[in-house]
Structure formats: C-alpha cells, structure tokens
Amino acid sequence: MITLKSSREIDLMRQAGKITAAARALAGAMVAPGVTTREIDRAVARYIRSQGAVPSFLHYNGYPASVCISVNDEVIHGIPGSRVIKEGDIVSVDVGAFKDGFHGDCAGTYPCGEVSEEARRLIEVTRQSFFEGIRYAREGCRLPDLSGAIQRYVEANGFSVVREFVGHGIGRKMHEDPEVPNYVEPKAGRPRFLRGMTIAVEPMVNAGGVGVYTMPDGWTVRTADGRLSAHYENTILITDGEPELLTDPDAKAE
C-alpha cells in the first residue's frame, strides 16, 4: 500500500534526509588510500548520532554495520571491516538515518585517487541515470516511465542495470511500497505518481553483464563477471511540479 505523506511528515523527512545526505558526503570525503571501510563506518555512525538520529541500517534484518560500503565489483551491501581502500578503487557508500519516526536513504560511488576511464564513466553514467529517471518523477507520470528512462540511458552508454535489487518507497519504514525498478518490469505494475509520495530511486549499474551473486556472508552482492559496479541514490518527494530531493547531493556534514 502506497502512503502519501502529510506536510508535517514531509518536514520530518526533510530533516532525516538532510542528515543522511551529509553522512553520505562525509563518507565520500573519507575515501582515500589507506583508509579502512570500518573507519568510514564508525565516522558516519558518530556523525548521524551527533545529529540526534540513529543509523537506519544498523541491525536492520540483522545487518551488522551502520553503512553499506561496496568496493569495485561489489554491487551493494558490502560490510565494513579491515579492508584498506587503495588508489584506483571505486567505493560505493549507502547510508540511512532515522530521526523523529522517519528515514532518509541515499548512496553514491566515489573514486579513490586516479581511476580507470571505464570506472570514471561508470560512476558518471550511474549518477546521470538517476537524473534521467526523475524527469518522470512527476505527478501524473507512471512508474515505468521513470524505470525505462534509467534503463535506456544506462544501456545506451554500454552498461547494464542490475535486476535483482530495486528502489523503494520510504517513510516511517525503510522499505515501503512501491518497488522502484531501474528497468521496465511488467510485474511492478503501472502505479501513477501522486503528490506526497516519497521514494528512494537507486540505479545499480554494472560495467559488464547484469549477473550478480551474494557472498557467503549473506549480504555482500558482487558482479558475476568480476567487473565494476556503481550505485547512486536519493530520497525524493513527488510534488505538484519538479520532484524535491530530500537527500541533497550538495549537502556537507556540519
């Protein structure tokens, strides 16, 4: 069931979104040679708590950390630990914050120093595919309009869209209806966007084929062919005009 948010609920989601976006920026700024993924996780958790919020992901369905940090061929849900980030890596960070009853959720992929041309293009195309999609995140448009725009842009640039994982509605729960695929999925139906809907749009894009698999840890998802993957996400609000990004891409941690 899709829930439409009241003006007060939207204000609360803006606050959660502001904290989440700043936490993403902090994580991205920490991506550098010699830094461990655990160090990023701990810094982000401290920041979120300093803002009177709690990390949405910690213990969510048993997840053991505050941030998902996925490196190179890891698509999503990488568990932070002792891994040391190296020059040339690309690092995806997925962050959520819960405050006053509502969640924010966003992600981005960051280069560590000089990266390959393919890696640079993959990051750029993944990010831009989000903006291509949300051109259709408008009252009266339908979900496949958004999904199809993401898919077309990604595939026109020679990359592929992950099928097994999708975006989602968000609010009092981290995952609400509707599911938001990054490709045209007939089973997803054709719900029309309505003012007051809040959704997390999150293209997950592979440099190679669409195939992915989950590691024995039960969380980390990797590309089947070992090629790079990138991730970009924002929480957005459907309005009577342009969609509002509740997780501002330009936010900085205070």
Side-chain angles (χ1 to χ4, degrees):
M1 178 179 174
I2 296 172
T3 62
L4 304 181
K5 310 305 189 290
S6 68
S7 58
R8 181 177 182 279
E9 289 172 329
I10 291 167
D11 283 340
L12 293 173
M13 289 198 68
R14 287 190 181 106
Q15 293 303 308
K18 180 179 179 181
I19 295 166
T20 309
R24 171 178 57 186
L26 172 61
M30 290 184 68
V31 171
V35 176
T36 69
T37 55
R38 181 180 289 117
E39 287 174 314
I40 296 174
D41 179 71
R42 288 176 173 171
V44 170
R46 284 195 299 270
Y47 174 75
I48 290 173
R49 294 186 187 282
S50 77
Q51 301 300 302
V54 297
S56 295
F57 299 166
L58 185 60
H59 308 313
Y60 183 79
N61 291 336
Y63 185 72
S66 298
V67 186
C68 297
I69 305 180
S70 308
V71 182
N72 294 335
D73 65 326
E74 296 172 349
V75 182
I76 51 172
H77 301 162
I79 300 173
S82 59
R83 180 171 186 165
V84 178
I85 299 170
K86 304 187 304 295
E87 178 90 11
D89 286 343
I90 65 171
V91 182
S92 298
V93 294
D94 191 356
V95 181
F98 180 74
K99 181 175 172 61
D100 296 332
F102 288 89
H103 293 275
D105 188 10
C106 63
T109 301
Y110 299 89
C112 181
E114 293 296 321
V115 300
S116 68
E117 176 64 15
E118 178 183 66
R120 184 191 62 77
R121 282 195 63 246
L122 177 65
I123 292 171
E124 290 177 356
V125 167
T126 302
R127 185 181 190 279
Q128 185 58 33
S129 73
F130 166 87
F131 290 99
E132 296 294 323
I134 67 165
R135 292 179 181 180
Y136 298 92
R138 304 176 67 97
E139 191 172 31
C141 289
R142 293 186 182 273
L143 179 58
D145 301 330
L146 181 153
S147 302
I150 292 173
Q151 181 180 9
R152 287 191 300 273
Y153 184 79
V154 167
E155 293 177 352
N157 280 278
F159 298 131
S160 61
V161 173
V162 172
R163 263 60 170 178
E164 283 86 343
F165 301 91
V166 298
H168 49 92
I170 184 170
R172 291 189 180 277
K173 297 180 180 178
M174 171 58 68
H175 293 97
E176 299 182 350
D177 290 334
E179 289 193 342
V180 183
N182 301 302
Y183 64 100
V184 177
E185 168 53 86
K187 292 180 181 178
R190 294 180 53 81
R192 195 179 293 277
F193 291 122
L194 301 172
R195 194 182 324 177
M197 285 177 64
T198 47
I199 58 175
V201 179
E202 52 177 319
M204 290 153 273
V205 178
N206 294 346
V210 299
V212 301
Y213 69 99
T214 302
M215 295 289 287
D217 63 20
W219 286 102
T220 308
V221 177
R222 304 180 77 166
T223 59
D225 57 14
R227 294 183 66 183
L228 298 174
S229 188
H231 185 195
Y232 188 76
E233 174 186 22
N234 284 300
T235 299
I236 69 170
L237 167 69
I238 306 300
T239 73
D240 58 357
E242 295 291 326
E244 179 183 341
L245 274 64
L246 300 178
T247 49
D248 181 0
D250 297 321
K252 301 295 181 187
E254 298 174 358

